[in-house]
Amino acid sequence: MSGPDNKVFQGHRGIGERVEGVALVADDNFSARYDLNRIEGTFSRPQHKLHGENYVGKILVLNIAKGGVATAWMLREMASRGMAPKALVLNAGNPIMAQGAAFANLPFVDRFDVDITSVIKTGDRVIVDPDKGTVEVAG
Amino acid sequence: MNTPSSGNNPISLDHDITLTSEEKAMLAGELGPARRYAMEQIIRVGGFFDAKDCIEVSQVHIMADPESLGLAGVEFLESLCALEADQRRVRVPTVTDPRGVDFEAYKRLGQTEEQANLERRAITAFKAMGIMMTDTCINYQTIMPPVRGEHIAYGDTGSSIYANSVMGARTNFQGGPSALAAALAGRVPRYGYHLDQCRRGSRLFDLSFRPDDLSEWGAVGGIIGGFMESYWDVPVVTGVDGTPTSDEMKQIGAALASYGSTALFHMVGVTPEAPDLSSVFDGPPPKSISIGRAEVEAFLASYRPSDDQLDVVVFAAPQLSLVEMETLAGLLDGKKINPSVALLVATSPEIKNACDRMGFTAKIETAGGIVLKGVCFYQMYAREIGEAQGWKRLMSNSAKLVNIIGGYGYEPLLASMEKCVESAVKGRIIT
């Protein structure tokens, strides 16, 4: 999907390998333990803006990493069952999200020069390139 | 079985982190695959946060309940503990956060043999690595409180924020895979709250009232947490009338960490790095946000349900101190919990032993409560327990628990310990 009309957003260098997929976006925060039903692969926290949405295989684009430490283990466990998102894109991660992504080898990029949740829409096709720290949206 | 490597493919480890010869040897696998895993994890996370080098830590606290680990995590631990003793043992004193199964209570709670077996396998692996099974999130109250300036690796948000803020020790949130790496390598990447410049205040809050009880201290932490915009925000609290107790600091900290992903706060005149405002802010402090009784009332009201149906009362998150256990035993002494309601309380194995010896356990259990040791409610398959027991409406004095448990299918309510006990006895919510 690389092309001249694509928009590229620059973040900080991330973790994991380059992937392409479909975005699931909300101006809300993220914790695997607080927000997800990891068995069914859906957002289960009633207050979450993605409540009821299936995240499996999606490029999750959210605001900041919240909640506790469990996500550090959970991302790999979710990936082992084929129930993980394809990549994580946040405005601001935290150590737990980075540790979990490193352990799971799950692509993760954060710290953009724009509010990333406002420039990517659910359903957009995006490329996440952690080595370059970029997210590219099909034009 | 998983290999003790970070991933299936050779990983790119281009990085700008300066390593000692010992760290290079660990990374090259010369001290075995467990320490190679540890250095890979350290470098990947340290690179993400622009760490320049590593720093040695003196103690490690690791969170690894079986629900979080899953089968994949347990198999990973087993791959480490299959190594020779000199390759698998941790290098610094390492203790554990609450577990997921209390083997004396799991059948009563409706936990399964599958869950218990996964827990047994995890414990066997941890013991083989030389990890001490303290099973507590209040290690800073009960095991080994850290010292100001001590670099540590704490694996629970509540223990981390307490150690950073109240003790003046230095840690980032070290989730399980990184706490394990810290234990195996004896170091962490130097970034975040290990650095002076990250420990400065960024937001200012003025407490215009004295919280009445632990649930209100938690509510204050929850409110401040809601203002936090990232892990790097450091709230500073002024106006606290009199020094809070350890349990009060525990509640405000645990709630702040839970609602805000916050790892450090300063309380002017109370915490060690904040004798005054000028010590925590460079230049003039930001505009202060006032938190009063009205804000706390609104916070409590946001969880209040439309009817008085009650299924379960839980005291946990963090585990209760000896003093909290004494208070609870006093409130329940001579009372009977309504048969339609369950009352659970979680504490550490050490405190449970003390409570057995001092008669607190007997008072709680005679009233119909269940005293759990070495576990915490949200770390013990809360969703599955709730489904097995038909629990939905949950009452607690822990803001942290109330924040977490909604995602597990519960309808939580925050109230004081007194109101929680009164409600458990009446069999319906009293507020």
Side-chain angles (χ1 to χ4, degrees):
Chain A
M1 60 160 271
S2 293
D5 296 334
N6 289 0
K7 284 175 285 186
V8 179
F9 300 102
Q10 185 67 52
H12 189 279
R13 186 178 172 188
I15 285 170
E17 283 141 35
R18 184 180 185 277
V19 288
E20 183 175 334
V22 176
L24 177 62
V25 189
D27 175 20
D28 205 336
N29 303 319
F30 184 62
S31 157
R33 167 164 265 159
Y34 289 29
D35 295 330
L36 305 183
N37 182 328
R38 289 164 284 117
I39 306 302
E40 293 177 4
T42 56
F43 279 81
S44 59
R45 182 178 170 84
Q47 296 87 353
H48 201 283
K49 287 180 182 163
L50 295 178
H51 180 240
E53 296 282 343
N54 188 304
Y55 60 78
V56 177
K58 301 282 172 55
I59 309 256
L60 259 185
V61 182
L62 290 163
N63 187 23
I64 68 177
K66 281 250 179 178
V69 297
T71 303
W73 287 117
M74 283 176 175
L75 295 179
R76 178 165 169 148
E77 193 279 330
M78 288 154 62
S80 76
R81 290 183 290 112
M83 296 297 275
K86 190 175 258 183
L88 267 179
V89 176
L90 300 177
N91 276 320
N94 71 358
I96 297 304
M97 216 53 72
Q99 293 158 8
F103 188 56
N105 215 15
L106 183 82
F108 175 37
V109 179
D110 77 342
R111 284 166 283 177
F112 296 88
D113 44 17
V114 293
D115 171 4
I116 198 70
T117 68
S118 69
V119 293
I120 301 177
K121 303 276 175 288
T122 291
D124 283 352
R125 285 206 70 81
V126 297
I127 298 170
V128 178
D129 191 333
D131 268 350
K132 292 184 190 158
T134 58
V135 175
E136 193 173 333
V137 183
Chain B
M1 181 180 282
N2 296 344
T3 62
S5 168
S6 302
N8 298 327
N9 306 317
I11 50 173
S12 143
L13 277 177
D14 292 342
H15 63 88
D16 305 317
I17 301 173
T18 304
L19 299 180
T20 64
S21 54
E22 187 184 22
E23 288 159 0
K24 286 177 187 163
M26 286 194 277
L27 182 60
E30 291 167 25
L31 283 80
R35 291 183 225 289
R36 185 184 64 212
Y37 153 75
M39 285 308 301
E40 287 174 355
Q41 178 78 7
I42 285 168
I43 285 168
R44 297 178 101 194
V45 175
F48 189 84
F49 291 115
D50 304 314
K52 298 281 183 282
D53 60 2
C54 297
I55 184 157
E56 293 187 16
V57 292
S58 55
Q59 51 163 302
V60 176
H61 177 232
I62 181 166
M63 185 288 218
D65 64 60
E67 185 200 336
S68 305
L69 285 166
L71 185 60
V74 170
E75 286 180 347
F76 171 76
L77 296 176
E78 287 175 338
S79 74
L80 298 183
C81 78
L83 302 168
E84 297 293 321
D86 66 327
Q87 292 194 355
R88 69 174 186 245
R89 289 186 71 83
V90 295
R91 300 182 112 193
V92 291
T94 301
V95 300
T96 55
D97 207 35
R99 311 283 333 142
V101 175
D102 177 343
F103 291 103
E104 289 169 25
Y106 76 97
K107 288 180 182 165
R108 273 199 286 177
L109 294 172
Q111 288 179 309
T112 64
E113 285 305 322
E114 188 187 353
Q115 291 163 349
N117 281 335
L118 202 58
E119 176 71 298
R120 288 188 188 98
R121 287 171 61 182
I123 292 170
T124 301
F126 279 132
K127 287 181 175 169
M129 283 184 255
I131 293 171
M132 295 181 271
M133 306 304 294
T134 54
D135 305 348
T136 184
C137 55
I138 52 168
N139 56 320
Y140 51 83
Q141 285 182 320
T142 60
I143 303 292
M144 186 173 282
V147 174
R148 184 173 182 184
E150 187 176 1
H151 290 276
I152 58 177
Y154 268 18
D156 176 289
T157 62
S159 68
S160 294
I161 193 170
Y162 195 100
N164 271 329
S165 312
V166 183
M167 308 307 206
R170 297 189 169 212
T171 186
N172 287 304
F173 290 165
Q174 293 287 350
S178 280
L180 189 61
L184 288 165
R187 62 247 299 133
V188 294
R190 193 198 305 262
Y191 70 93
Y193 293 106
H194 295 283
L195 301 170
D196 287 342
Q197 65 264 31
C198 289
R199 300 178 69 89
R200 313 293 292 158
S202 65
R203 306 290 294 266
L204 184 59
F205 298 87
D206 186 60
L207 203 55
S208 64
F209 80 114
R210 171 95 193 176
D212 269 345
D213 65 74
L214 296 177
S215 67
E216 291 193 359
W217 281 100
V220 170
I223 292 166
I224 296 174
F227 284 97
M228 297 296 106
E229 288 173 359
S230 80
Y231 176 77
W232 312 105
D233 249 343
V234 177
V236 176
V237 183
T238 58
V240 177
D241 179 19
T243 305
T245 65
S246 173
D247 286 332
E248 288 167 347
M249 293 298 261
K250 171 168 100 172
Q251 282 295 335
I252 188 176
L256 235 175
S258 176
Y259 285 83
S261 182
T262 303
L264 169 67
F265 69 98
H266 299 296
M267 193 177 278
V268 173
V270 176
T271 58
E273 292 170 46
D276 48 41
L277 272 183
S278 61
S279 305
V280 282
F281 287 110
D282 300 310
K287 191 172 178 305
S288 172
I289 295 168
S290 178
I291 297 175
R293 181 152 295 285
E295 283 76 18
V296 167
E297 288 296 337
F299 184 88
L300 295 170
S302 71
Y303 289 103
R304 208 156 284 151
S306 53
D307 61 58
D308 63 2
Q309 168 73 30
L310 179 62
D311 300 316
V312 61
V313 171
V314 179
F315 299 109
Q319 290 175 335
L320 274 68
S321 70
L322 182 65
V323 174
E324 292 174 284
M325 291 296 287
E326 183 201 23
T327 306
L328 180 62
L331 290 170
L332 283 168
D333 192 14
K335 304 256 176 60
K336 277 286 175 205
I337 293 161
N338 192 290
S340 67
V341 175
L343 184 146
L344 307 178
V345 50
T347 190
S348 77
E350 267 62 47
I351 296 298
K352 168 72 163 46
N353 285 343
C355 291
D356 291 351
R357 193 156 50 82
M358 297 176 192
F360 304 154
T361 309
K363 281 182 186 168
I364 295 167
E365 296 199 331
T366 301
I370 298 175
V371 179
L372 301 170
K373 69 170 192 305
V375 291
C376 193
F377 188 70
Y378 71 93
Q379 288 174 317
M380 54 190 296
Y381 299 98
R383 180 188 306 282
E384 290 80 357
I385 292 176
E387 287 167 0
Q389 302 285 347
W391 292 340
K392 202 158 183 67
R393 191 64 63 65
L394 178 149
M395 198 168 179
S396 178
N397 70 338
S398 160
K400 172 177 178 169
L401 182 64
V402 164
N403 187 36
I404 296 173
I405 214 69
Y408 280 68
Y410 291 80
E411 294 171 4
L413 170 75
L414 180 63
S416 68
M417 182 182 275
E418 287 77 4
K419 290 290 182 194
C420 289
V421 167
E422 194 184 338
S423 301
V425 170
K426 293 264 170 60
R428 58 188 174 82
I429 293 168
I430 311 284
T431 56

